[in-house]
Amino acid sequence: MAVISERLLKNDTIQEKVHVATLYPGLEVFVFPKKGYNKKYASFATQFGSIDNSFYVEGNKNLLEVPDGVAHFLEHKLFEGEKGNVFDEFARKGASANAYTNFTMTNYLFSSTDNFEDCFDLLINFVQDPYFTAESVEKEKGIIAQEIRMYEDNPGWRLFFNLLGCLYSVHPVRKDIAGTVESIMDIDEEILYKCYRTFYHPSNMALFVVGDLEPERVIHQVMENLEHRDYQPLGEIKRIYPEEPQAVRDKCVREKMEVYQPLLSLGFKDRNVGFTGRDLFKKELASELVLEMLFGKSTETYNRLYEEGLINDQFGTSFVAEKDYAYTMMGGETPDPDKLYQALLDSITQYIQKGFKEEDFERQRRKMLGEFLRNFNSLEFIANNFLYYHFRENNLFDFVSLLQEMKAEDIHLRLRELFDKDYHSCSIITSNGG
Amino acid sequence: MTNFINHTLPNGINLYIYPTEKFKTIVYSLFLHQNLKRDLVTKTALLPFVLERGSKKWPNTQKLVVALENLYGADIMSEVTKRGERQILQFILEIVNPLYVRENGELEKKGLEVLKDVLTNPVVENNGFKESFVNREKQILTNIVQGLINDKVSYAVERCVQEMCREEDYGVYRLGRVEDLPNLDSSGLYSYYQELLNSAPIDIFVLGNVDPDNTMALMEEAFNFPRGNIYEMEPTLIYKEVSEPRYVEERLDVNQGKLTLGFRTNTKVTDDDYYPLLLYNGILGAFPHSKLFQNVREKASLAYYASSRLDREKGILLIASGIEIENYQKALEIIQQQMESIKAGDITDDELDSTRVGYINQIKVTEDSPYQIINRYLGGLISGRQETEEETIEQINRVQVEDVVRVAEKIQLDTIYFLRNKE
């Protein structure tokens, strides 16, 4: 009764497989056997990230709006149980535990070589047993304030969020994941419980385990745990995002910081959004291929800018796509951000006119396949990425077939829509001159 | 750890092969050792930057990268590290195990050909490295060294080490000094590189799904260049009495204060006290269950991070924490109380046992990463204490509270470095 469905996902190129079970009341459990590894890595994640600050659950009339930084704050507080700090219990078993929050999810994890079943129980239990008190919530504010202060002094982080703040006018992706020192002061235990009850329902969560393990046993262990918990089905969670205009908010933002060289990040707001599943994954791969062919280390542009002294080998590009928003960013340290800004825009214009060579496309495809394969050495990569893609209704293994099926015209199409000059912004950090 | 097959090439290069089917890739890693000296450090550091720009067969970055991308995104990476008073250049080639891409076995050979050409066949003009490469890479290196200030967390730790070891070679940054760069020219640098290839101790590791005999033959062919006498590596200065701790303050335009403390442990990796020292570090600050995390962060809410780390090859211990600037005194007091409490033997069974199992876990997971397997074995070669996983675990299990107290008494505060705001 407790198992709703079971399936096996395989990939012949990577030569790996993953067992998946959906358990009542809707929890997805993945077990990825990795023979010969000493480490076992488990993560328990919920689709609750920094952008989810306005929501209600089907059947409830009241819209709940919460202070910025709640998802991250909750992540910190969940480690505190009624009997003490959960970190300490993992430590006693020789495991190392951690968690992270990003825009769309919160992920709790541990790795251990011994005592897997005990540690796994601990993980499943602490995530399902919240214990928030007024006193402990107050105390956490000092710690998180220092975490925020640390990022305030980090130029790369400031560069990134300044750019998001330029690209987006109202969407919460423009806000720092941890919130601000001011916003977290409004958080109390009641708010945490309200968020917890909505987003930590098993139907909004997934468990991923990787290591030299028997899938049936792991799945059984989760099943037994859930059976005693008397969960009722939750309605659909409705996340409310403000209507984001297509236009960017600002053209450019500059900040002075204690840096040696200025930093530039150029961003394009992708207006073609609303994709999920394979379409979203395909769009992501196509975008990455475009960026590699335009600015990768084997391109004429990269090498020319490097020779001219405008970029160093930390120059990078990225594309991020969620259902409701997507953006491209590129940049790095540079002695002359304004010159680099213009040079990047010019290269893009020329490239769109010229198009790309078939052989470059084939080579990048090969390279991406090799890099993808290489990542399967890492249990952390496997778990974190499987969950991330799962929450976007993708199967990470599809990477291989999508890459193989990609056609030149997909890339041409993507190239033209990825960079629209009317929808770009830039962020610059300059030295405060010492 | 016993799986390494050791073989010395005719020219004195040490080869270590670790056949395993566990990973999707094959890793080739070459280490070139140099003594860490103030007058050598910068030119040694500059070498990989120049070498990675191109070789005779692939004469610029673009051609080189194209060649590697064609090999399923094989990667040639280099790394400059400082381990005790030695500077190590590492060149890595990582390629996909050909089995996964149905290549006919040429992948390894082609990858090695690129690595070999980069290392032994640089682009030469007028008896020197290519001038334009050298000039550009000097700029790049300047930017990296000066750019250290961008990341305040690591900047504060590095500055503490520099201040603490200002009279030792160890006080110099792993990538050298900006002021040396104008004096380096391409022909001088090239002849220095020839000298290194001729007489530096070199270790090459090969790890992955490889056949040992086949690999030995491949490597003998790839690295067959003649070499002369190999120079000796000098020992690292470890033991140092501190008469009075020194306080160093630096003011920058920052929001958060960074408190960093540097200690002399007066303990070497080959000393009997090494494992007690390791446990000391774990009890003090290497884990979330450690005293620093528990007291500075969890109890006093003063910091997001407060931890200690042991620089085992140099025998120094560093404590780092990011705090509100006005909390300097409070944080310092709590940190010192934690160290005093260890000295007084105030260590619970829980603290000792959690630290033990924490380190044992770390040692076991080493086996799951090609780079960590190599790094651990290299560490054994450098320190002269090569132990198997079982031997290491046994020694960790043997440490008792009184051993930790004994090493605690040898640990001396040398430098307090505080990075704070401008007024």
Side-chain angles (χ1 to χ4, degrees):
Chain A
M1 147 231 157
V3 182
I4 298 171
S5 74
E6 269 190 281
R7 56 200 193 276
L8 184 69
L9 307 173
K10 282 202 292 195
N11 188 286
D12 295 336
T13 305
I14 315 166
Q15 298 175 30
E16 302 279 10
K17 55 182 186 292
V18 55
H19 299 252
V20 197
T22 310
L23 305 182
Y24 178 84
L27 178 70
E28 299 273 344
V29 184
F30 296 80
V31 187
F32 191 113
K34 199 76 172 145
K35 279 260 169 289
Y37 273 68
N38 293 340
K39 190 195 288 184
K40 285 102 185 158
Y41 183 93
S43 60
F44 198 178
T46 169
Q47 302 180 73
F48 180 35
S50 65
I51 63 169
D52 303 311
N53 53 13
S54 179
F55 54 88
Y56 58 92
V57 181
E58 199 180 278
N60 280 9
K61 285 207 182 84
N62 297 340
L63 177 75
L64 197 61
E65 291 187 66
V66 293
D68 294 335
V70 162
H72 172 258
F73 202 107
L74 207 167
E75 170 219 308
H76 272 241
K77 276 337 294 169
L78 211 49
F79 278 95
E80 200 151 291
E82 204 169 344
K83 285 176 285 178
N85 195 318
V86 186
F87 272 124
D88 300 347
E89 286 186 56
F90 278 107
R92 275 178 216 123
K93 299 178 200 306
S96 107
N98 212 336
Y100 64 84
T101 306
N102 60 28
F103 291 121
T104 55
M105 70 191 252
T106 312
N107 192 6
Y108 300 85
L109 50 100
F110 78 85
S111 75
S112 74
T113 48
D114 303 319
N115 309 319
F116 171 77
E117 283 182 11
D118 281 359
C119 295
F120 191 47
D121 257 336
L122 198 54
L123 174 75
I124 309 174
N125 287 329
F126 98 81
V127 174
Q128 291 184 94
D129 297 329
Y131 178 74
F132 310 131
T133 63
E135 189 201 5
S136 80
V137 167
E138 275 319 300
K139 212 161 66 185
E140 204 65 27
K141 290 178 181 171
I143 298 169
I144 294 176
Q146 286 313 311
E147 187 177 0
I148 293 169
R149 303 285 261 162
M150 180 178 81
Y151 283 114
E152 279 172 3
D153 285 334
N154 182 318
W157 191 258
R158 294 300 320 142
L159 183 77
F160 176 62
F161 276 99
N162 286 352
L163 182 54
L164 284 174
C166 257
L167 290 172
Y168 294 90
S169 302
V170 287
H171 194 283
V173 70
R174 65 194 305 278
K175 291 174 179 172
D176 203 317
I177 289 161
T180 63
V181 174
E182 293 74 39
S183 76
I184 61 167
M185 294 306 154
D186 298 333
I187 294 173
D188 59 28
E189 72 277 18
E190 202 183 316
I191 294 174
L192 294 182
Y193 274 119
K194 276 184 185 158
C195 291
Y196 183 87
R197 279 183 216 117
T198 305
F199 293 105
Y200 285 70
H201 187 273
S203 59
N204 190 47
M205 301 181 76
L207 253 172
F208 197 99
V209 183
V210 52
D212 200 342
L213 293 158
E214 278 172 54
E216 297 72 25
R217 251 181 103 151
V218 177
I219 290 166
H220 188 77
Q221 197 182 340
V222 183
M223 226 160 66
E224 283 201 320
N225 187 293
L226 288 181
E227 266 170 9
H228 306 292
R229 289 183 178 269
D230 194 31
Y231 277 110
Q232 303 302 314
L234 183 81
E236 193 200 342
I237 304 170
K238 293 223 164 90
R239 296 163 168 88
I240 308 300
Y241 302 118
E243 182 106 17
E244 173 67 30
Q246 291 210 338
V248 298
R249 180 190 175 105
D250 286 308
K251 275 276 150 230
C252 191
V253 62
R254 288 167 195 265
E255 185 178 339
K256 283 189 189 303
M257 283 182 82
E258 194 81 61
V259 291
Y260 172 70
Q261 270 208 121
L263 290 97
L264 165 85
S265 186
L266 169 64
F268 288 84
K269 187 173 180 175
D270 197 340
R271 290 154 304 117
N272 190 10
V273 293
F275 294 83
T276 53
R278 253 179 103 86
D279 295 337
L280 183 65
F281 206 167
K282 183 176 174 182
K283 172 174 141 169
E284 184 182 298
L285 286 188
S287 307
E288 279 169 17
L289 281 162
V290 166
L291 288 169
E292 274 305 312
M293 284 193 279
L294 227 166
F295 293 114
K297 283 193 178 156
S298 61
T299 61
E300 187 273 323
T301 305
Y302 174 90
N303 285 279
R304 180 171 44 82
L305 297 174
Y306 187 96
E307 269 311 312
E308 286 173 11
L310 278 175
I311 60 170
N312 60 29
D313 73 346
Q314 298 304 304
F315 177 86
T317 59
S318 68
F319 176 75
V320 171
E322 293 294 341
K323 184 170 173 283
D324 299 298
Y325 63 90
Y327 55 82
T328 310
M329 288 185 184
M330 60 199 74
E333 283 180 33
T334 177
D336 191 341
D338 295 294
K339 201 170 162 191
L340 177 59
Y341 167 76
Q342 201 49 54
L344 292 173
L345 286 181
D346 292 346
S347 307
I348 291 168
T349 311
Q350 284 164 17
Y351 198 82
I352 291 174
Q353 285 164 359
K354 218 169 48 184
F356 59 87
K357 289 193 208 113
E358 188 71 25
E359 63 173 85
D360 289 346
F361 174 44
E362 283 312 321
R363 197 179 63 250
Q364 289 311 331
R365 211 210 292 256
R366 259 172 172 245
K367 180 187 125 176
M368 275 173 71
L369 177 64
E371 285 175 349
F372 185 69
L373 270 162
R374 186 196 295 187
N375 284 328
F376 280 79
N377 278 350
S378 155
L379 305 191
E380 288 79 358
F381 170 89
I382 294 169
N384 297 344
N385 281 279
F386 247 104
L387 281 174
Y388 176 72
Y389 283 95
H390 165 67
F391 283 156
R392 302 186 320 163
E393 297 161 51
N394 296 146
N395 167 2
L396 183 65
F397 284 152
D398 285 351
F399 181 99
V400 179
S401 59
L402 281 166
L403 196 62
Q404 278 155 356
E405 288 159 19
M406 194 73 69
K407 295 194 176 59
E409 53 260 40
D410 298 324
I411 304 298
H412 278 296
L413 190 69
R414 193 64 200 133
L415 173 62
R416 281 193 302 273
E417 63 182 19
L418 192 56
F419 306 108
D420 189 328
K421 272 200 178 151
D422 295 335
Y423 300 93
H424 81 271
S425 303
C426 83
S427 164
I428 293 173
I429 305 279
T430 50
S431 168
N432 50 18
Chain B
M1 294 312 299
T2 48
N3 306 25
F4 275 104
I5 301 164
N6 184 358
H7 174 73
T8 308
L9 299 183
N11 61 4
I13 290 177
N14 299 308
L15 182 63
Y16 304 90
I17 304 172
Y18 190 109
T20 168
E21 288 178 14
K22 197 159 148 180
F23 304 111
K24 306 269 184 216
T25 55
I26 304 172
V27 175
Y28 298 84
S29 185
L30 182 145
F31 297 91
L32 188 153
H33 305 251
Q34 173 61 295
N35 291 301
L36 182 67
K37 298 279 175 205
R38 279 178 197 262
D39 57 332
L40 297 177
V41 62
T42 314
K43 57 180 176 181
T44 310
L46 184 57
L47 287 170
F49 289 86
V50 175
L51 291 169
E52 275 200 74
R53 291 299 305 278
S55 66
K56 281 222 180 80
K57 244 180 230 159
W58 297 278
N60 60 43
T61 313
Q62 196 175 3
K63 295 212 162 84
L64 194 62
V65 176
V66 167
L68 292 167
E69 285 179 349
N70 272 321
L71 303 175
Y72 291 90
D75 226 340
I76 290 186
M77 298 166 279
S78 63
E79 197 69 68
V80 182
T81 52
K82 190 167 87 168
R83 296 188 73 164
E85 269 133 28
R86 65 167 83 185
Q87 192 182 10
I88 301 176
L89 302 184
Q90 181 182 14
F91 298 90
I92 302 158
L93 166 71
E94 184 170 6
I95 49 176
V96 171
N97 181 342
L99 281 178
Y100 293 101
V101 286
R102 296 187 187 85
E103 284 279 314
N104 48 12
E106 287 292 290
L107 209 54
E108 292 156 80
K109 227 176 159 171
K110 285 180 186 158
L112 265 180
E113 206 184 322
V114 184
L115 181 66
K116 180 197 170 174
D117 216 51
V118 165
L119 287 170
T120 61
N121 239 342
V123 186
V124 174
E125 53 183 38
N126 306 322
N127 275 325
F129 285 120
K130 187 170 170 170
E131 186 100 29
S132 64
F133 287 177
V134 174
N135 289 338
R136 180 68 186 114
E137 296 310 310
K138 277 157 78 168
Q139 266 179 2
I140 292 276
L141 191 56
T142 306
N143 291 338
I144 297 176
V145 175
Q146 308 273 34
L148 190 64
I149 200 169
N150 292 9
D151 177 2
K152 308 293 178 292
V153 176
S154 29
Y155 176 76
V157 174
E158 177 62 29
R159 286 285 300 120
C160 181
V161 173
Q162 288 177 1
E163 289 293 338
M164 179 171 167
C165 303
R166 68 199 179 287
E167 285 158 7
E168 295 148 73
D169 287 319
Y170 200 72
V172 68
Y173 184 47
R174 68 183 175 90
L175 293 175
R177 309 178 300 182
V178 169
E179 63 267 32
D180 296 338
L181 286 164
N183 306 321
L184 299 178
D185 64 68
S186 29
S187 62
L189 192 65
Y190 181 63
S191 58
Y192 175 61
Y193 183 55
Q194 297 302 313
E195 253 173 69
L196 282 186
L197 280 186
N198 185 59
S199 50
I202 295 178
D203 299 308
I204 304 181
F205 290 80
V206 182
L207 188 149
N209 193 0
V210 293
D211 170 69
D213 294 330
N214 204 352
T215 304
M216 258 179 235
L218 264 178
M219 300 306 282
E220 279 196 21
E221 198 188 311
F223 298 97
N224 60 352
F225 56 90
R227 296 179 8 111
N229 288 331
I230 310 303
Y231 56 72
E232 291 285 321
M233 297 310 295
E234 294 167 19
T236 296
L237 183 132
I238 306 252
Y239 307 103
K240 195 164 187 281
E241 284 298 314
V242 189
S243 47
E244 184 73 31
R246 189 164 157 255
Y247 175 78
V248 181
E249 184 178 282
E250 187 170 339
R251 286 174 181 269
L252 289 174
D253 190 9
V254 292
N255 291 298
Q256 188 178 58
K258 306 274 191 263
L259 175 58
T260 314
L261 281 69
F263 300 84
R264 305 277 175 178
T265 70
N266 290 306
T267 303
K268 214 174 169 172
V269 179
T270 43
D271 289 352
D272 291 343
D273 274 347
Y274 173 68
Y275 284 102
L277 174 64
L278 184 71
L279 279 261
Y280 173 93
N281 179 49
I283 293 163
L284 179 66
F287 299 97
H289 70 259
S290 306
K291 288 184 186 286
L292 291 178
F293 190 93
Q294 293 289 331
N295 291 284
V296 181
R297 174 176 148 139
E298 295 296 298
K299 287 214 180 87
S301 304
L302 288 183
Y304 171 63
Y305 71 94
S307 64
S308 69
R309 82 183 168 83
L310 182 65
D311 185 337
R312 53 177 235 146
E313 272 101 7
K314 178 63 182 167
I316 60 179
L317 184 131
L318 297 156
I319 292 177
S321 184
I323 55 169
E324 209 56 51
I325 288 145
E326 72 228 28
N327 287 335
Y328 169 81
Q329 205 56 45
K330 228 195 238 169
L332 184 63
E333 267 163 34
I334 297 174
I335 290 170
Q336 285 176 327
Q337 277 164 17
Q338 305 319 308
M339 301 190 76
E340 285 307 317
S341 78
I342 300 182
K343 248 192 213 169
D346 181 8
I347 299 166
T348 64
D349 288 349
D350 226 28
E351 285 172 322
L352 183 64
D353 292 340
S354 296
T355 301
R356 255 196 244 284
V357 291
Y359 276 126
I360 290 170
N361 185 48
Q362 281 183 12
I363 284 152
K364 288 184 176 168
V365 302
T366 303
E367 292 294 309
D368 294 339
S369 149
Y371 292 102
Q372 285 190 36
I373 295 172
I374 292 173
N375 199 38
R376 187 169 139 78
Y377 198 81
L378 181 80
L381 293 175
I382 293 171
S383 66
R385 187 169 190 164
Q386 192 69 268
E387 287 164 337
T388 63
E389 185 183 304
E390 293 74 31
E391 286 164 346
T392 307
I393 292 171
E394 199 201 307
Q395 301 192 73
I396 287 172
N397 278 329
R398 222 184 286 148
V399 177
Q400 299 303 321
V401 168
E402 60 264 30
D403 303 315
V404 177
V405 172
R406 187 178 64 245
V407 294
E409 277 159 6
K410 293 198 292 182
I411 296 174
Q412 298 178 325
L413 176 60
D414 185 302
T415 301
I416 300 173
Y417 168 86
F418 189 45
L419 174 65
R420 57 168 303 177
N421 61 336
K422 288 177 173 165
E423 270 167 343

